[in-house]
Amino acid sequence: DIQMTQSPASLSASLGETVTIECLASEDIYDILAWYQQKPGKSPQLLIYDASSLHTGVPSRFSGSGSGTQYSLKINSLQPEDFASYYCQNGLSAPNTFGAGTKLELK
Amino acid sequence: QVQLEESGPGLMQPSETLSLTCTVSGFSLTSNGVGWVRQPLGKGLVWMGTIWAGGSTNYNSAVQSRLSISRDTSKSQVFLKMNSLQPEDTGTYYCARQRYYFDYWGQGVMVTVSS
Protein backbone atom coordinates (compact mmCIF):
# COMPACT_ATOMS: atom_id res chain seq x y z
CA ASP A 1 0.00 0.00 0.00
CA ILE A 2 1.13 3.55 -0.74
CA GLN A 3 1.74 5.63 2.39
CA MET A 4 1.26 9.40 2.39
CA THR A 5 3.35 11.42 4.83
CA GLN A 6 2.10 14.97 5.22
CA SER A 7 3.92 17.81 6.95
CA PRO A 8 3.70 19.84 9.03
CA ALA A 9 0.91 18.53 11.23
CA SER A 10 0.07 22.09 12.24
CA LEU A 11 1.02 25.50 11.01
CA SER A 12 0.51 28.95 12.44
CA ALA A 13 0.47 31.90 10.06
CA SER A 14 -0.76 35.48 9.69
CA LEU A 15 -3.15 37.02 7.21
CA GLY A 16 -1.39 37.83 3.96
CA GLU A 17 1.38 35.29 4.48
CA THR A 18 2.31 32.51 2.09
CA VAL A 19 2.45 28.93 3.38
CA THR A 20 3.44 25.58 1.94
CA ILE A 21 2.27 22.10 2.94
CA GLU A 22 4.20 19.02 1.86
CA CYS A 23 3.12 15.49 1.04
CA LEU A 24 5.51 12.59 0.49
CA ALA A 25 4.31 9.36 -1.10
CA SER A 26 6.07 6.08 -0.32
CA GLU A 27 6.35 5.39 -4.04
CA ASP A 28 5.89 7.21 -7.33
CA ILE A 29 2.23 8.20 -7.79
CA TYR A 30 2.73 9.83 -11.19
CA ASP A 31 1.08 13.11 -10.20
CA ILE A 32 -2.20 11.38 -9.33
CA LEU A 33 -2.53 13.42 -6.17
CA ALA A 34 -5.32 15.57 -4.81
CA TRP A 35 -5.51 18.22 -2.08
CA TYR A 36 -8.59 18.94 0.02
CA GLN A 37 -9.61 21.68 2.43
CA GLN A 38 -11.86 20.95 5.39
CA LYS A 39 -13.39 23.51 7.72
CA PRO A 40 -14.73 22.51 11.15
CA GLY A 41 -18.09 20.76 10.93
CA LYS A 42 -18.00 20.71 7.13
CA SER A 43 -17.27 18.18 4.42
CA PRO A 44 -13.86 18.20 2.73
CA GLN A 45 -13.69 20.20 -0.48
CA LEU A 46 -11.47 19.38 -3.45
CA LEU A 47 -8.86 22.07 -4.15
CA ILE A 48 -6.31 20.51 -6.49
CA TYR A 49 -6.24 17.34 -8.59
CA ASP A 50 -3.57 15.80 -10.79
CA ALA A 51 -1.07 17.48 -8.46
CA SER A 52 -1.46 20.94 -9.99
CA SER A 53 -4.91 21.39 -11.58
CA LEU A 54 -7.23 23.78 -9.79
CA HIS A 55 -10.76 22.48 -9.18
CA THR A 56 -13.66 24.60 -10.39
CA GLY A 57 -14.20 27.70 -8.30
CA VAL A 58 -11.01 27.42 -6.25
CA PRO A 59 -9.19 30.75 -5.88
CA SER A 60 -5.94 31.14 -7.79
CA ARG A 61 -3.99 31.82 -4.58
CA PHE A 62 -4.01 28.03 -4.16
CA SER A 63 -1.48 26.10 -6.22
CA GLY A 64 -0.09 22.59 -6.30
CA SER A 65 3.20 21.28 -7.56
CA GLY A 66 5.48 18.30 -7.45
CA SER A 67 6.14 15.00 -9.14
CA GLY A 68 7.16 11.46 -8.39
CA THR A 69 6.90 11.07 -4.65
CA GLN A 70 7.07 14.71 -3.50
CA TYR A 71 4.19 17.18 -3.71
CA SER A 72 3.26 20.49 -2.19
CA LEU A 73 0.31 22.81 -1.74
CA LYS A 74 1.04 26.53 -1.64
CA ILE A 75 -1.37 29.17 -0.44
CA ASN A 76 -0.47 32.75 -1.30
CA SER A 77 -1.68 35.78 0.60
CA LEU A 78 -3.67 33.94 3.29
CA GLN A 79 -7.28 35.04 3.68
CA PRO A 80 -9.45 34.52 6.78
CA GLU A 81 -11.38 31.72 5.09
CA ASP A 82 -8.18 29.73 4.43
CA PHE A 83 -7.67 28.77 8.06
CA ALA A 84 -8.75 25.15 7.99
CA SER A 85 -7.35 21.63 7.74
CA TYR A 86 -5.75 20.35 4.56
CA TYR A 87 -5.28 16.78 3.33
CA CYS A 88 -3.43 15.20 0.44
CA GLN A 89 -4.67 11.98 -1.14
CA ASN A 90 -3.15 9.27 -3.29
CA GLY A 91 -5.39 8.73 -6.30
CA LEU A 92 -3.17 6.31 -8.16
CA SER A 93 -4.28 3.06 -6.64
CA ALA A 94 -6.38 1.53 -3.90
CA PRO A 95 -6.22 2.06 -1.00
CA ASN A 96 -6.72 5.75 -1.81
CA THR A 97 -4.82 6.87 1.25
CA PHE A 98 -5.07 10.36 2.71
CA GLY A 99 -2.27 12.16 4.46
CA ALA A 100 -2.74 12.74 8.19
CA GLY A 101 -3.67 16.36 7.63
CA THR A 102 -2.30 19.83 8.33
CA LYS A 103 -4.19 22.23 10.57
CA LEU A 104 -3.59 25.82 9.50
CA GLU A 105 -4.22 28.26 12.32
CA LEU A 106 -4.23 32.02 12.58
CA LYS A 107 -1.23 33.41 14.41
CA GLN B 1 -26.06 20.06 -10.06
CA VAL B 2 -24.13 17.25 -8.43
CA GLN B 3 -25.39 16.33 -4.99
CA LEU B 4 -24.87 13.46 -2.57
CA GLU B 5 -26.75 12.86 0.66
CA GLU B 6 -25.97 10.25 3.29
CA SER B 7 -28.63 8.78 5.53
CA GLY B 8 -28.66 6.20 8.26
CA PRO B 9 -28.94 5.64 11.97
CA GLY B 10 -26.93 7.84 14.29
CA LEU B 11 -26.54 5.44 17.21
CA MET B 12 -25.51 1.82 16.99
CA GLN B 13 -24.69 -0.87 19.51
CA PRO B 14 -21.45 -2.85 19.42
CA SER B 15 -21.67 -5.98 17.25
CA GLU B 16 -24.55 -4.55 15.19
CA THR B 17 -24.52 -4.03 11.44
CA LEU B 18 -24.40 -0.49 10.10
CA SER B 19 -26.40 0.34 6.99
CA LEU B 20 -25.90 3.70 5.30
CA THR B 21 -27.41 5.01 2.08
CA CYS B 22 -25.94 7.61 -0.23
CA THR B 23 -28.52 9.13 -2.58
CA VAL B 24 -27.01 10.96 -5.51
CA SER B 25 -28.31 13.37 -8.10
CA GLY B 26 -26.87 15.27 -11.02
CA PHE B 27 -24.77 12.36 -12.27
CA SER B 28 -25.07 8.72 -13.20
CA LEU B 29 -23.73 5.85 -11.11
CA THR B 30 -23.00 3.93 -14.30
CA SER B 31 -20.54 6.63 -15.35
CA ASN B 32 -19.01 7.56 -12.00
CA GLY B 33 -17.61 5.87 -8.92
CA VAL B 34 -18.75 6.61 -5.39
CA GLY B 35 -16.49 6.19 -2.41
CA TRP B 36 -17.04 6.15 1.34
CA VAL B 37 -14.71 8.02 3.69
CA ARG B 38 -14.79 7.89 7.48
CA GLN B 39 -13.55 10.53 9.88
CA PRO B 40 -13.26 9.77 13.59
CA LEU B 41 -14.07 12.81 15.72
CA GLY B 42 -11.18 15.23 15.67
CA LYS B 43 -9.09 13.01 13.43
CA GLY B 44 -8.22 12.60 9.77
CA LEU B 45 -9.88 11.10 6.73
CA VAL B 46 -9.87 7.36 6.08
CA TRP B 47 -10.91 5.89 2.76
CA MET B 48 -13.21 2.93 3.37
CA GLY B 49 -14.07 1.68 -0.07
CA THR B 50 -15.38 2.48 -3.53
CA ILE B 51 -17.89 1.16 -6.00
CA TRP B 52 -16.84 2.01 -9.52
CA ALA B 53 -18.93 2.85 -12.57
CA GLY B 54 -18.81 -0.73 -13.82
CA GLY B 55 -19.94 -2.09 -10.46
CA SER B 56 -16.61 -3.40 -9.21
CA THR B 57 -15.53 -2.57 -5.68
CA ASN B 58 -12.34 -1.89 -3.72
CA TYR B 59 -12.14 -1.98 0.05
CA ASN B 60 -9.71 -0.79 2.68
CA SER B 61 -7.99 -3.93 3.91
CA ALA B 62 -8.45 -2.80 7.52
CA VAL B 63 -12.23 -3.27 7.24
CA GLN B 64 -12.54 -5.47 4.16
CA SER B 65 -13.82 -8.51 6.05
CA ARG B 66 -16.66 -6.47 7.57
CA LEU B 67 -17.55 -4.07 4.76
CA SER B 68 -19.79 -4.33 1.73
CA ILE B 69 -20.62 -1.56 -0.77
CA SER B 70 -23.39 -2.00 -3.32
CA ARG B 71 -25.73 0.15 -5.38
CA ASP B 72 -29.12 0.46 -7.01
CA THR B 73 -28.58 2.43 -10.18
CA SER B 74 -32.32 2.77 -10.83
CA LYS B 75 -32.68 4.65 -7.56
CA SER B 76 -29.32 6.45 -7.76
CA GLN B 77 -28.34 5.02 -4.42
CA VAL B 78 -25.15 3.54 -3.03
CA PHE B 79 -25.18 1.43 0.12
CA LEU B 80 -22.59 0.77 2.80
CA LYS B 81 -22.98 -2.17 5.13
CA MET B 82 -20.49 -2.89 7.86
CA ASN B 83 -20.95 -5.64 10.41
CA SER B 84 -19.50 -6.37 13.83
CA LEU B 85 -19.38 -2.70 14.76
CA GLN B 86 -17.00 -1.59 17.50
CA PRO B 87 -16.67 1.73 19.34
CA GLU B 88 -13.69 2.59 17.13
CA ASP B 89 -16.06 2.66 14.15
CA THR B 90 -17.54 5.84 15.60
CA GLY B 91 -17.18 8.84 13.34
CA THR B 92 -18.63 10.81 10.48
CA TYR B 93 -19.20 8.83 7.30
CA TYR B 94 -19.07 10.65 3.99
CA CYS B 95 -19.91 9.48 0.52
CA ALA B 96 -18.29 11.27 -2.38
CA ARG B 97 -18.22 11.05 -6.13
CA GLN B 98 -14.90 9.47 -7.09
CA ARG B 99 -12.93 9.61 -10.25
CA TYR B 100 -9.56 8.89 -8.68
CA TYR B 101 -10.05 11.99 -6.55
CA PHE B 102 -13.23 12.93 -4.70
CA ASP B 103 -14.75 15.96 -6.40
CA TYR B 104 -18.16 16.21 -4.72
CA TRP B 105 -19.00 15.19 -1.15
CA GLY B 106 -22.11 14.65 0.89
CA GLN B 107 -22.61 16.49 4.15
CA GLY B 108 -21.75 13.39 6.16
CA VAL B 109 -23.63 11.35 8.74
CA MET B 110 -22.40 10.95 12.29
CA VAL B 111 -22.44 7.39 13.58
CA THR B 112 -21.83 6.60 17.24
CA VAL B 113 -21.18 3.04 18.35
CA SER B 114 -21.85 2.71 22.05
CA SER B 115 -23.59 0.44 24.46
Side-chain angles (χ1 to χ4, degrees):
Chain A
D1 294 355
I2 297 173
Q3 307 301 317
M4 306 300 290
T5 303
Q6 189 174 336
S7 61
S10 63
L11 186 53
S12 183
S14 302
L15 291 173
E17 269 192 54
T18 295
V19 298
T20 300
I21 298 168
E22 308 280 346
C23 193
L24 177 67
S26 59
E27 59 187 81
D28 194 330
I29 56 172
Y30 302 97
D31 300 355
I32 310 301
L33 178 110
W35 290 97
Y36 302 87
Q37 177 193 66
Q38 187 180 32
K39 297 180 181 179
K42 300 294 187 182
S43 307
Q45 300 293 311
L46 178 66
L47 295 174
I48 303 280
Y49 63 95
D50 291 348
S52 61
S53 296
L54 215 59
H55 185 52
T56 306
V58 175
S60 58
R61 63 180 180 273
F62 291 90
S63 62
S65 64
S67 63
T69 62
Q70 296 185 295
Y71 299 89
S72 60
L73 172 70
K74 185 178 178 182
I75 314 172
N76 288 314
S77 187
L78 280 168
Q79 300 299 302
E81 60 269 27
D82 299 337
F83 293 92
S85 293
Y86 293 85
Y87 297 89
C88 61
Q89 181 231 335
N90 148 46
L92 178 65
S93 61
N96 297 121
T97 329
F98 291 90
T102 296
K103 187 172 184 179
L104 176 57
E105 298 176 308
L106 182 60
K107 186 184 291 182
Chain B
Q1 183 182 3
V2 173
Q3 291 185 312
L4 301 97
E5 183 173 4
E6 305 90 346
S7 58
L11 182 61
M12 303 290 295
Q13 303 251 352
S15 81
E16 287 187 329
T17 296
L18 175 66
S19 293
L20 298 177
T21 299
C22 175
T23 302
V24 311
S25 59
F27 69 96
S28 169
L29 293 178
T30 57
S31 301
N32 295 270
V34 171
W36 288 91
V37 175
R38 178 169 73 188
Q39 186 170 36
L41 193 63
K43 298 194 175 180
L45 304 169
V46 179
W47 171 77
M48 302 288 287
T50 300
I51 187 162
W52 297 103
S56 63
T57 52
N58 288 114
Y59 299 116
N60 186 323
S61 59
V63 295
Q64 184 168 7
S65 62
R66 302 191 290 131
L67 181 64
S68 174
I69 298 175
S70 60
R71 68 185 185 181
D72 183 336
T73 57
S74 67
K75 295 183 178 179
S76 295
Q77 291 180 323
V78 176
F79 309 105
L80 176 149
K81 288 191 190 306
M82 189 161 65
N83 59 31
S84 304
L85 286 179
Q86 296 301 315
E88 51 266 33
D89 294 315
T90 293
T92 299
Y93 287 73
Y94 298 99
C95 64
R97 188 174 79 169
Q98 185 174 7
R99 275 67 191 278
Y100 41 88
Y101 47 85
F102 298 98
D103 58 354
Y104 292 93
W105 296 65
Q107 83 285 355
V109 59
M110 179 66 194
V111 175
T112 301
V113 183
S114 175
S115 54

